[in-house]
Amino acid sequence: MKKFLSKITLPALAFTMALFVSGILVAISDSKVLALKSSPLSMLAEAFSTAGSAYWALFRGSIFDPELAKANFIEGFYPLSETIVAASPLILTGLSVALAFKAGLFNIGAQGQFIAGAIGASFVGFHFELPIVIHSIAAIAAALVCAGLYGGFVGFLKARTGAHEVIVTIMLNYVAGYFLLWILSTSPFLRPGRQDPLAPEVRMSSRLPHLFGSELRANLGFFIALLAAVGIWWLLNRSTWGFKFRAVGANAAASKTAGISVGRSTTTVMFIAGALAGLGGAVQILGSEPALTAGVGGTFGFDAITVALLGRGTPLGTVFAALLFGALRAGGLTMQASTETPLDLILVIQALVVLFIAAPALIKAIFRLKNVDEGEALASKGWNG
Amino acid sequence: MSLELRGITKRFGALTANDSIDLKVESGEIHAILGENGAGKSTLMNIVYGLLSPDEGTISVDGKVIDIESPLDALAAGIGMVHQHFMLIPVFTVAENIVLGHEKVKGPGFLDLETARQEIKRVSAEFNFDVDPDALVEDLPVGIQQRVEIIRALIYDAKVLILDEPTAVLTPQETDELLRNMKKLRDQGTAIVFITHKLREVKIAADKITIIRRGAVVGTASPSASQEELASLMVGRPVSLDVKKAAPKLGQVMLKVENLNIHDHTGRTLVKNISFELRAGEVLAVAGVQGNGQSELAEAIVGLQEHIDGRITLDGEEIKVGRVRDALHAGIAFVPESREEDGLISSFSIEENLILDLHDLPPFAKGPVISQNAVAENASKRVVEFDIRAQSPKDAASSLSGGNKQKVVLARELSRPVKLVVASQPTRGLDVGSIEFVHERMIAERDSGRGVLLFSTELDEVIALADRIAVMYRGEFIAVVPADTSREELGLLMAGVKR
Ligand SMILES: Nc1ncnc2c1ncn2[C@@H]1O[C@H](COP(=O)(O)OP(=O)(O)OP(=O)(O)O)[C@@H](O)[C@H]1O
Ligand SMILES: [Mg+2]
């Protein structure tokens, strides 16, 4: 328990600090606050109320909305459901990056792998007619295979030729993006009678069931993501494969000396990482965005890097970090709609959280902490490979 | 200048690594600190050098209590240190490493390395160090890297110089040179703290000896005491410095190496045309000055070298390039030369390090699952058997003392059923008690019919264990001689002089 507390102290303080600093930004960028320059006290009061209402809007947009709850209590949780919807794919892409981190690889390619998975799931989802459940499983399997191979290819290249995974994955992100544009203009992916890049919606039989009734969009994808997190935790900490992955990530020379094949580990890890990101794509398509579009990837693959970093490369941490990001995404919209605060502030908060996390010395100095667990310096390790 | 420590206490969780230590080191003396692996020597010195902060106690220089919070403070107070594990940046030049943390600029932001270069040349000339200020550290042999560390201390005008196991990685010649230089510095008034496990060196160089056991000072000794006396003071029991062994009972040829050549990736030849046979029940020791191809030869035997010609067979089965796992599972125990780089994963727990090459075999693996119980059980056995001093086997290997890290590697490699033991510098950094244990263990391996191929730069070790001695020089076996060859002759052979 003590260990757990010391582990979450830093992220929690970083988040608090980020909210605090962003609060100041909200306040001083507000015209009403600025208008009160002449009287410092009322300016301070106005600043508090501005920041307060922005954060209240954020809460209403991401967790619970009392207005909506008046009609139907469950619906009050509509925002929470949106948070979950936004977080589910992010958990999976985040796990993809986190797993690779642990194995000493920097997977910048979750974006491309996500797209590969989305394409696979979408095609199986709208093209075939299959019974319920089986259809979902088939679509997910297609996503796993497409994205797994897409990621595994990177590992294979690295193992065989030494090509650096960062460069290869960045390039493959472009490849995936443009391939998606192209494939959306080909006949199986064009909707009958339309010319714009919008694939047919996946069939109802392939969709993931909603968890809390049809009004809330939260769906089985969230459970799939949580299950994946448990699975990755088990893989890393309990299985012989995970032992090899971690060993190679921590010291490749010693692993080699102990008879562990570095190349095989690299290839396998990148396959699994790709499959995870692809599963994210499948969850997005089968869960909340049934039609494949050019924008399907959003920033799921890139935010994944931040999420994994914030979660300190552990599966549990990644889940929490993704939920936080999902909440900020969902709540940001409400905040923009109901206050003067721009959506960009969400990006500022995200950036600040990461900044404070990435600079533990800063947080320690601010709060005069000793003996909290700083975790491993993840970001600096992945690059050396 | 004198350095005085009073009541220094340092705890790591429940473990008291330093327990109220008092120590006084005077100007113009070499003060040796002896103690078992994990006794707390490095910890104490890291405190003095500002790398760790003590929980209790004071450090004073010339009678004045000073506050040391970082190595920069230590250097400013005239305290310099050369570490057990070097702390240089490999991709920087010697001069860049030396100015690190004290960079001077000339003009708007240009690094002034010229002054440093001059200083390096001056110190280098004074002590016969032969160090090129513009060489990249990663290209330098360890002996020279160590001189760089010493130069750094001297340039910053260290009046107290701490040397933590400086001779562990040196050749006998380099060691003698270092001891001479230490005496020279002492005569110029430097106070030197000298940590070593080699009693011979203590007797040659030390003026005073302090002995630490389990974190506390247990006494002092005079350099005139015999090695046996010093050893038993250190370990707390009598230690036998000779290895008792019976004549070998030779069996079949086990390891056969035929016309082996090893190149590096640029095509340079590192090992030239080596052929030899090792029989079951025999210890073949490969002696030689470090860097004459021994580590490459050792690695080739487990398939770790990529560019080789020739044939290596174990009981008739060829060992293939890159198939390290097959080689290990065919029955080779391998103790690599560098425990930090190749032997251990420092962020892994001790437990995990003890099963590094066995993690996917029963009893540790049940199918794809690692059995936590089996791993823990194995660890608790090994920790007792090899006397690994750690708080808990679940702690990271990085928290172990240098010698205890080595014991983890040895414990792992020497406790599975093998046919052949290939060990490079197996006792580097171990205290006398542990060396005795490891030597007995190697002989026991031999007596139970295993082959032992020992690579060592320590003549004492070679002479104590070998049934036959091969001397390696510039990639070749320049001679294979019987175990009773004289030290002088071995010394000459190691220097490349053939009769
Ligand atoms: N960072 C740390 N965390 C926990 N325990 C530590 C840490 N550093 C050292 N220790 C423990 O403190 C004890 C003393 O270690 P130290 O490195 O000072 O030994 P030493 O006398 O230098 O031994 P050696 O001769 O093997 O180098 C050891 O038991 C070690 O495990
Ligand atoms: Mg030490």
Side-chain angles (χ1 to χ4, degrees), chain B residues 69-142:
Chain B
E69 294 196 340
S70 74
L72 290 183
D73 294 345
L75 282 172
I79 301 170
M81 177 161 176
V82 176
H83 287 89
Q84 193 167 1
H85 308 295
F86 298 159
M87 304 213 166
L88 298 170
I89 299 180
V91 296
F92 277 17
T93 65
V94 169
E96 285 167 343
N97 264 292
I98 284 181
V99 298
L100 205 65
H102 293 261
E103 304 86 353
K104 290 198 184 65
V105 288
K106 58 180 177 202
F110 291 101
L111 192 57
D112 176 17
L113 281 179
E114 200 41 48
T115 334
R117 273 200 200 96
Q118 295 306 334
E119 289 280 282
I120 294 166
K121 287 198 182 128
R122 180 179 62 76
V123 176
S124 198
E126 186 178 344
F127 290 93
N128 255 329
F129 273 174
D130 189 24
V131 171
D132 171 11
D134 296 311
L136 281 185
V137 163
E138 62 185 354
D139 297 337
L140 299 176
V142 274

Side-chain angles (χ1 to χ4, degrees), chain B residues 36-43 84-85 164-165 195 197 400-403 429:
Chain B
E36 295 170 286
N37 296 128
K41 307 178 294 293
S42 299
T43 303
Q84 193 167 1
H85 308 295
D164 191 356
E165 294 191 38
I195 299 177
H197 288 296
L400 287 172
S401 79

Side-chain angles (χ1 to χ4, degrees), chain A residues 234 237-248 250-260 264 370 376 381, chain B residues 304 306 324-325 328 334 336 340-345 347-348 352 355-357 359-360 365 367-370 372:
Chain A
W234 180 87
N237 297 299
R238 289 288 179 267
S239 76
T240 55
W241 281 22
F243 189 94
K244 289 190 188 26
F245 298 165
R246 285 187 294 122
V248 169
N251 183 344
S255 306
K256 225 169 117 183
T257 307
I260 297 171
R264 200 173 304 158
K370 264 190 175 177
E376 297 154 50
K381 224 154 92 198
Chain B
L304 274 168
E306 285 177 33
V324 185
R325 191 184 150 86
L328 297 177
F334 181 63
E340 305 282 327
E341 282 163 34
D342 302 324
L344 287 174
I345 298 183
S347 60
F348 272 30
E352 288 178 311
I355 59 156
L356 221 48
D357 48 8
H359 70 275
D360 51 2
V369 189
I370 291 186
Q372 307 292 316

Side-chain angles (χ1 to χ4, degrees), chain A residues 60-259:
Chain A
R60 270 187 298 131
S62 61
I63 297 182
F64 184 75
D65 190 339
E67 287 300 314
L68 291 175
K70 274 182 194 149
N72 174 349
F73 185 71
I74 282 288
E75 247 177 75
F77 287 102
Y78 178 81
L80 186 60
S81 151
E82 286 304 295
T83 293
I84 286 174
V85 168
S88 307
L90 206 48
I91 292 175
L92 289 160
T93 51
L95 286 173
S96 161
V97 177
L99 172 69
F101 264 151
K102 286 279 182 207
L105 296 162
F106 212 28
N107 180 20
I108 309 285
Q111 189 74 17
Q113 295 146 10
F114 182 94
I115 291 174
I119 294 175
S122 163
F123 182 73
V124 173
F126 67 69
H127 189 76
F128 297 104
E129 270 182 72
L130 291 171
I132 191 166
V133 179
I134 302 212
H135 202 173
S136 304
I137 293 177
I140 287 175
L144 292 178
V145 171
C146 291
L149 292 177
Y150 206 60
F153 176 62
V154 178
F156 177 77
L157 275 187
K158 178 165 176 130
R160 268 301 152 87
T161 67
H164 202 291
E165 77 277 5
V166 167
I167 299 180
V168 178
T169 49
I170 289 177
M171 290 304 142
L172 286 183
N173 284 343
Y174 287 110
V175 173
Y178 288 111
F179 180 78
L180 173 63
L181 275 182
W182 172 76
I183 207 172
L184 283 172
S185 71
T186 60
S187 67
F189 281 84
L190 276 178
R191 277 193 200 189
R194 292 187 60 163
Q195 290 301 318
D196 49 343
L198 181 69
E201 290 196 350
V202 292
R203 293 171 197 270
M204 288 314 280
S205 54
S206 70
R207 303 224 183 141
L208 299 176
H210 286 202
L211 292 176
F212 311 106
S214 57
E215 294 302 315
L216 304 189
R217 295 204 302 154
N219 58 67
L220 197 66
F222 184 56
F223 271 122
I224 294 179
L226 293 184
L227 215 61
V230 174
I232 294 300
W233 178 86
W234 180 87
L235 179 77
L236 278 173
N237 297 299
R238 289 288 179 267
S239 76
T240 55
W241 281 22
F243 189 94
K244 289 190 188 26
F245 298 165
R246 285 187 294 122
V248 169
N251 183 344
S255 306
K256 225 169 117 183
T257 307

